[in-house]
Amino acid sequence: MRLANLIGRATIVVDGRAIDVHRASDGELSADPMMMCDLANHSALRGLALNATASDWPLLEPAQLGAPVPRPGKGFGVALNYRQHALESGRPLPTEPHLFGKSQNCVVGPFDEIIVPVGCESVDYEAELVIVFGRTCKNVQRDDAWSVLAGVTCGQDVSDRAEQHRPPVKQFTIAKSYDSFGPVGPYLVTQDDLANRDALPMQCRIGGEVLQTTNTSDLIFDVPALVEWVTRYITFEPGDLLWTGTPGGVGEARNPQRFLRAGDVVETDIEGIGCMRNPVVSR
Ligand code: ZN
């Protein structure tokens, strides 16, 4: 099942058509896209998808898509979760996940602008798989991990490197939480829609140039390991987000370095989910 936020409304995408959840359910289901994150609603959504005549509904206009999870209760990112990125960062491979916060204000849609503050010359891209929690959960064992997830989506973990590395203490959370630094989308894809949920090819491109390419099977801590680890300490709720980490090829580690500038269009593409296209502006 592919779920979307179309002009602020919960939407099921079937054959390129946009089925409005609230209208298709005769008002029984909420129009709020956050309802799509709750696994308790998924059987009703599947029922709507099965019973709807797709051709009765309008063609989906991708430019109108917002973040499929517009108001996550909380969001975290995982640092150094691909071997190649840990090596290019000059850091030892982690023996446990390293987490930082990404606040709700940074979340924007799959075609929204990434805003580089004026004078900020070290803003970097990070293509990532983002997992979306689907039920209230704590102490989840790795074998049960996928069963607590509503699905997955593409994400960018945009990062201001100067702030992130500013001495004396690294500041990951603020450097990765500026307004617009957390694009997600275009769809919330449930795992039954994925050929292999543990091995998704992913790319980041700017102006057609491939800057990052990987497969999520290369994650150091895979999705089950991450879910088991984070829920050991924190209760997760439907709609909470976890950015699972970025592969090698970030702008900071390139020679010469390649940071985001106005006019760039950042494409974040995960096979089976879709492609975000976020234009970069400066203001
Ligand atoms: Zn990241």
Side-chain angles (χ1 to χ4, degrees):
M1 194 162 50
R2 302 173 81 72
L3 304 168
N5 166 5
L6 186 67
I7 332 173
R9 296 178 66 90
T11 302
I12 311 168
V13 182
V14 177
D15 297 335
R17 303 275 174 166
I19 299 172
D20 184 273
V21 167
H22 186 65
R23 283 204 290 273
S25 66
D26 292 324
E28 268 187 41
L29 294 173
S30 169
D32 184 344
M34 292 302 295
M35 68 81 72
M36 306 183 303
C37 303
D38 192 336
L39 279 166
N41 293 324
H42 278 209
S43 65
L45 292 173
R46 273 176 226 289
L48 291 182
L50 277 172
N51 292 324
T53 306
S55 57
D56 290 348
W57 294 90
L59 281 170
L60 180 81
E61 187 50 66
Q64 296 179 327
L65 291 175
V69 187
R71 300 185 313 280
K74 53 186 172 291
F76 294 96
V78 184
L80 304 179
N81 201 16
Y82 286 88
R83 181 175 306 267
Q84 193 194 349
H85 180 53
L87 292 176
E88 75 183 4
S89 303
R91 317 233 144 229
L93 294 184
T95 52
E96 284 195 56
H98 181 100
L99 251 64
F100 51 85
K102 277 186 83 73
S103 55
Q104 191 187 101
N105 63 290
C106 77
V107 172
V108 294
F111 306 105
D112 288 343
E113 294 171 337
I114 295 170
I115 303 164
V116 173
V118 173
C120 221
E121 293 179 349
S122 55
V123 176
D124 208 347
Y125 51 85
E126 292 192 356
E128 308 200 3
L129 174 74
V130 173
I131 59 175
V132 181
F133 284 80
R135 63 173 53 125
T136 302
C137 58
K138 182 92 192 275
N139 287 315
V140 179
Q141 300 303 301
R142 64 168 290 136
D143 288 349
D144 300 325
W146 280 101
S147 74
V148 304
L149 300 180
V152 295
T153 189
C154 303
Q156 269 288 332
D157 175 23
V158 182
S159 309
D160 178 3
R161 302 301 186 195
E163 189 59 33
Q164 182 181 340
H165 300 311
R166 182 163 62 81
V169 180
K170 301 252 180 198
Q171 298 228 80
F172 278 59
T173 294
I174 180 107
K176 293 162 171 283
S177 289
Y178 296 4
D179 292 350
S180 81
F181 274 21
V184 289
Y187 307 106
L188 168 58
V189 178
T190 56
Q191 52 189 295
D192 56 305
D193 216 66
L194 299 167
N196 184 351
R197 64 192 185 186
D198 296 305
L200 302 168
M202 178 167 76
Q203 274 198 346
C204 182
R205 301 181 293 267
I206 297 179
E209 183 187 358
V210 178
L211 295 170
Q212 293 182 287
T213 185
T214 193
N215 187 298
T216 60
S217 61
D218 288 338
L219 283 165
I220 296 172
F221 302 102
D222 61 10
V223 168
L226 291 173
V227 170
E228 183 175 74
W229 194 84
V230 295
T231 64
R232 194 183 300 169
Y233 306 105
I234 298 171
T235 299
F236 277 75
E237 309 278 353
D240 289 344
L241 299 181
L242 184 65
W243 278 253
T244 58
T246 204
V250 299
E252 174 185 45
R254 306 185 84 86
N255 186 15
Q257 291 184 320
R258 173 36 166 129
F259 292 119
L260 296 181
R261 46 191 183 243
D264 284 340
V265 177
V266 181
E267 291 185 300
T268 311
D269 196 341
I270 301 181
E271 212 172 294
I273 299 176
C275 184
M276 302 199 297
R277 287 185 189 81
N278 296 98
V280 178
V281 300
S282 175
R283 63 171 175 265

